[in-house]
Amino acid sequence: MIINRDDAAREAAMKTAEAMVAAAVTAPKGHGLDNLLAVIVTGEDKDRLAGHMRDIYEETGADFFNRDAGCVDASHCVVLLATKDEPILLDNCGYCGHPDCAANRAAGASCAFNITDLGIAVGSAVSVCADNRIDSRIMFSAGKAALRMGIFDDSVRVCYGIPLSTYAKSNFFDREPGAVLR
């Protein structure tokens, strides 16, 4: 069997995406509670994600949504990491800026522990990309589009997307709005 470089590189990106999910899942969690969600998006679902990013660009005029959609188009897959919006119920913690979890809920705020746990998980995931020399970029825009797509249920308010690519030149640098580099 002969495996060409493009197929080998694409397979490496997919294996890395799986390892990223494992790294995110095993990252430390505040108070030992796991509110992290993770999925890998490929194929038509990845195309739909990029389409939602372009829709947000059209609605808001925020150019980076269009630019980032081009990067998603040129990527093999996108790892989505999100957190459920569920307070971890520490008595009077106040880390979110509210006196307790009930006040947090009443204000429509997010639990600081969940957001911090998500950040640690994202850091763990992208370190796997770096260790495997796979190009990636953390994208708020892809996460927002994933929420719009309904990939996660209503318990999720914060998500980040991490597209992966393995081309001779990274499609995440020198980006032009809507450009697709391969």
Side-chain angles (χ1 to χ4, degrees):
M1 175 189 319
I2 297 172
I3 301 172
N4 71 40
R5 86 177 206 171
D6 292 340
D7 290 341
R10 185 174 16 269
E11 183 67 23
M14 293 306 299
K15 287 179 180 175
T16 298
E18 292 171 357
M20 291 170 67
V21 170
V25 167
T26 61
K29 312 289 186 299
H31 203 58
L33 296 176
D34 183 7
N35 284 323
L36 182 77
L37 300 169
V39 299
I40 301 169
V41 181
T42 63
E44 291 178 8
D45 290 319
K46 181 179 71 78
D47 296 342
R48 283 186 34 229
L49 180 70
H52 281 280
M53 294 168 75
R54 288 187 177 90
D55 291 345
I56 295 170
Y57 158 68
E58 291 293 329
E59 293 164 15
T60 66
D63 289 340
F64 70 93
F65 278 94
N66 190 39
R67 177 202 65 202
D68 290 354
C71 292
V72 167
D73 286 333
S75 298
H76 303 296
C77 61
V78 179
V79 174
L80 297 172
L81 300 176
T83 186
K84 295 177 195 172
D85 184 36
E86 297 175 5
I88 63 172
L89 303 175
L90 288 175
D91 291 336
N92 304 322
C93 142
Y95 194 46
C96 64
H98 299 279
D100 56 33
C101 294
N104 171 293
R105 295 289 85 185
S110 294
C111 176
F113 280 92
N114 292 332
I115 301 302
T116 301
D117 290 349
L118 177 59
I120 293 167
V122 167
S124 292
V126 296
S127 72
V128 171
C129 283
D131 291 346
N132 288 281
R133 307 306 180 260
I134 303 293
D135 292 330
S136 68
R137 178 74 62 185
I138 301 167
M139 293 185 176
F140 152 83
S141 56
K144 186 167 179 73
L147 295 178
R148 178 181 279 207
M149 277 178 69
I151 290 176
F152 302 103
D153 67 30
D154 291 341
S155 71
V156 174
R157 292 178 23 193
V158 180
C159 176
Y160 291 97
I162 309 167
L164 282 69
S165 69
T166 56
Y167 302 109
K169 182 183 182 314
S170 173
N171 54 309
F172 305 118
F173 293 96
D174 304 327
R175 301 176 288 173
E176 295 293 327
V180 176
L181 304 175
R182 293 185 192 229

